């Protein structure tokens, strides 16, 4: 038997319905915030992710699916959404006529060779938004606002945005030097990965899943203490706006996020989930240097991504009502094979007129068909029998009140429209 690959899931039945429910909410909220939907390819040149996300991150150093295609090209399966969107922005010279910022959202599969566990997969889905072409704090607020409101709309309780700032390039550089100076004496006590991170990008050490609870990291310098005046003022303005917008946030001076390209605000979305406790469901930040790093001009941008799989799990534990029931408008039943042709025709006719309609495909007895209709929560039953059909009549039964009426077959659509 061939079984699915480790870290992948089949999505079917109720799981599909939950995703449709979440997708619909995402589409609605993105329309309100005026983000357009974008799909980028599942595979891209490896260089895009290696250069964009950064070789010192776990995602690129340990988790990408890299391979050579049959033409010998180095290919990587998309591990996150931002780099692909930036590649699209640069390739299509979207910066050439930037009269308005570019606001896009994606909702797609990502691939990471992660250690599979509950809520952590190798094929995962992320919803994310990118706001490209504005450096103003208003753009940060737009992105944090949509992240926050999406989670509130999902029905999650106690949603909190954890924020921190890395400051501008100068502040980030100063902090990096201070952190390095602090960490070097402890080098031997750090894990092997962190020893390498010290050379490539010491900020990543703060993100380490192994060393994160050590006293060394707890006492490390804070980014906030290395901000220049401009960066500090910007951060204070951001907090004022967040308060004004009634967005529930807390400051987390240790937050740096796992990717190399952030500056100024970085944030994480956390929800307090019954049984599971505080769960990090997504995060983002400003990445003013990334587009330039990928070969485009210097264009400011900010974005966020949320993990779909973990979010749905959090919604499940929070008792969110996904409305999982199948709700048919009409179930067409037939007494014998003589009425099958009419059943088939009517099923199609009603569907084309906008009714969610089903019929029996398994030659079930009438009793069996009643049971199927109940299982699918059919509002109306249309029961066909030979005698009535000869007089162009069908029996329509309200499956809730159990009232039954004979209706002329030519008036069925009109009748149902009047009763729904
Ligand atoms: P990141 O792109 O690493 O900042 O992750 C953003 C969000 O995606 C996280 O908060 C998780 O909810 C989710 N996520 C990251 N990696 C995985 C994974 N392997 N499986 C499922 N969800 C993930």
């Amino acid at each position: 038997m061939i079984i699915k690959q480790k870290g992948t899931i089949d999505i079917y039945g109720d799981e599909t319905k939950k995703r449709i429910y979440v997708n619909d909410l995402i589409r609605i909220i993105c329309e309100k915030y005026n983000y357009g939907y974008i799909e980028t390819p599942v595979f891209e040149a490896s260089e895009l992710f290696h250069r964009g996300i950064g070789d010192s991150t776990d995602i690129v150093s340990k988790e990408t699916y890299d391979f050579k295609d049959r033409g010998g090209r180095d290919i990587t399966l998309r591990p996150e959404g931002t780099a692909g969107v930036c590649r699209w922005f640069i390739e299509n010279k979207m910066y050439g006529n930037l009269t308005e910022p570019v606001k896009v959202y994606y909702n797609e599969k990502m691939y990471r060779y992660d250690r599979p566990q509950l809520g952590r997969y190798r094929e995962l889905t992320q919803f994310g938004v990118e706001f490209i072409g504005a450096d103003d704090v208003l753009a940060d607020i737009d992105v944090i606002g949509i992240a926050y409101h999406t989670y509130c709309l999902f029905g999650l309780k106690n949603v909190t945005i954890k924020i921190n700032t890395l400051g501008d390039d100068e502040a980030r550089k100063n902090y990096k030097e201070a952190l390095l100076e602090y960490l070097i004496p402890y080098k031997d006590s750090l894990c092997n990965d962190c020893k390498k991170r010290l050379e490539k990008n010491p900020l990543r050490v703060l993100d380490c899943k192994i060393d994160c609870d050590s006293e060394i990291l707890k006492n490390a310098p804070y980014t906030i203490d290395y901000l220049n005046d401009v960066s500090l003022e910007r951060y204070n303005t951001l907090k004022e706006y967040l308060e004004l917008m009634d967005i529930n946030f807390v400051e987390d001076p240790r937050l740096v996020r796992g990717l190399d390209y952030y500056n100024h605000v970085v944030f994480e979305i956390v929800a307090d989930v019954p049984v599971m406790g505080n769960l990090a469901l997504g995060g983002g930040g400003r990445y003013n240097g990334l587009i330039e790093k990928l070969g485009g001009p210097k264009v400011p941008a900010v974005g966020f991504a949320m993990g779909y799989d973990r979010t749905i799990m959090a919604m499940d534990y929070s008792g969110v009502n996904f409305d999982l029931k199948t709700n048919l408008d009409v179930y067409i039943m037939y007494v014998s094979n003589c009425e099958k042709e009419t059943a088939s025709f009517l099923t199609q006719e009603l569907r084309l007129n906008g009714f969610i309609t089903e019929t029996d495909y398994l030659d079930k007895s009438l009793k069996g068909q009643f049971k199927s209709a109940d299982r699918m929560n059919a509002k109306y039953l249309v029961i066909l029998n030979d005698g009535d059909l000869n007089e162009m009549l069908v029996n329509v039964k309200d499956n809730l009140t159990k009232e039954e009426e004979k209706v002329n077959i030519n008036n069925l659509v009109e009748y149902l429209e009047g009763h729904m």
Side-chain angles (χ1 to χ4, degrees), residues 319-332:
V320 169
N321 180 6
F322 285 100
D323 194 11
L324 297 176
K325 277 200 218 140
T326 305
N327 288 315
L328 286 190
D329 292 322
V330 187
Y331 191 94
I332 310 258

Side-chain angles (χ1 to χ4, degrees), residues 37 41 52 55 96 128 175 273-274 301 391 406 409:
Y37 185 65
D55 287 327
Y175 176 70
V273 180
E391 294 173 42
K406 286 198 196 303
I409 197 165

Side-chain angles (χ1 to χ4, degrees), residues 60-328:
V60 168
S61 62
K62 294 184 197 161
E63 295 173 6
T64 47
Y65 278 86
D66 300 316
F67 58 95
K68 277 201 190 294
D69 73 4
R70 288 170 196 268
R73 299 172 196 88
D74 286 312
I75 299 291
T76 295
L77 297 186
R78 177 180 63 204
E80 57 88 56
T82 306
V85 170
C86 290
R87 196 262 315 132
W88 158 83
F89 180 86
I90 299 165
E91 187 172 346
N92 292 286
K93 298 196 172 53
M94 305 294 290
Y95 48 82
N97 187 20
L98 209 58
T99 47
E100 303 295 339
V102 172
K103 295 171 69 174
V104 290
Y105 78 98
Y106 57 82
N107 190 352
E108 36 190 36
K109 299 266 169 131
M110 308 294 169
Y111 298 85
R112 296 183 187 181
Y113 198 79
D114 220 333
R115 197 159 47 84
Q117 48 184 287
L118 190 66
R120 192 164 278 279
Y121 305 106
R122 290 184 173 168
E123 184 183 59
L124 55 134
T125 308
Q126 280 188 341
F127 153 60
V129 310
E130 311 296 348
F131 187 131
I132 308 175
D135 191 30
D136 202 283
V137 168
L138 269 186
D140 300 344
I141 290 293
D142 206 82
V143 169
I144 297 176
I146 194 171
Y148 182 69
H149 288 130
T150 304
Y151 279 97
C152 294
L153 199 67
F154 285 165
L156 293 175
K157 299 277 177 303
N158 302 325
V159 178
T160 308
I161 306 283
K162 278 195 204 169
I163 59 163
N164 189 25
T165 181
L166 304 172
D168 60 12
D169 291 348
E170 184 195 57
R172 190 184 158 119
K173 187 168 162 279
N174 288 343
Y175 176 70
K176 194 169 155 179
E177 280 168 14
L179 183 66
L180 198 58
E181 203 173 300
Y182 168 81
L183 287 174
I184 280 179
Y186 299 110
K187 187 173 178 179
D188 291 342
S189 313
L190 297 174
C191 75
N192 285 339
D193 283 339
C194 280
K195 284 183 187 123
K196 281 186 224 144
R197 287 180 187 126
L198 268 188
E199 283 155 35
K200 285 188 170 175
N201 187 350
L203 261 70
R204 293 282 73 78
V205 176
L206 299 177
D207 246 2
C208 178
K209 289 170 196 135
I210 301 168
D211 287 332
C212 60
D213 291 326
S214 76
E215 283 303 309
I216 303 171
L217 294 198
K218 280 185 189 147
N219 295 321
Y222 289 138
T223 54
I224 190 109
D225 295 327
Y226 293 84
L227 297 183
N228 47 31
D229 290 348
V230 190
S231 301
L232 185 63
E233 198 184 314
R234 184 187 173 107
Y235 186 50
N236 288 335
T237 310
L238 176 83
K239 287 188 284 181
E240 276 168 33
Y241 272 86
L242 288 172
E243 269 165 28
L244 185 74
M245 305 287 162
D246 219 8
I247 293 173
N248 184 26
F249 73 95
V250 292
E251 291 179 70
D252 178 354
R254 281 280 170 262
L255 190 66
V256 291
R257 306 269 307 136
L259 307 179
D260 264 356
Y261 47 62
Y262 288 112
N263 45 22
H264 289 299
V265 65
V266 284
F267 65 95
E268 221 166 66
I269 305 131
V270 184
D272 184 9
V273 180
V275 187
M276 310 210 78
N278 272 340
L279 261 194
L281 299 171
R286 178 161 281 283
Y287 53 94
N288 284 354
L290 179 61
I291 291 173
E292 192 179 25
K293 200 170 170 193
L294 291 173
K298 194 162 173 54
V299 181
V302 54
F304 97 95
M306 66 151 227
Y308 224 80
D309 313 280
R310 214 176 294 174
T311 299
I312 289 180
M313 198 169 76
M315 291 166 81
D316 263 333
Y317 277 90
S318 303
V320 169
N321 180 6
F322 285 100
D323 194 11
L324 297 176
K325 277 200 218 140
T326 305
N327 288 315
L328 286 190

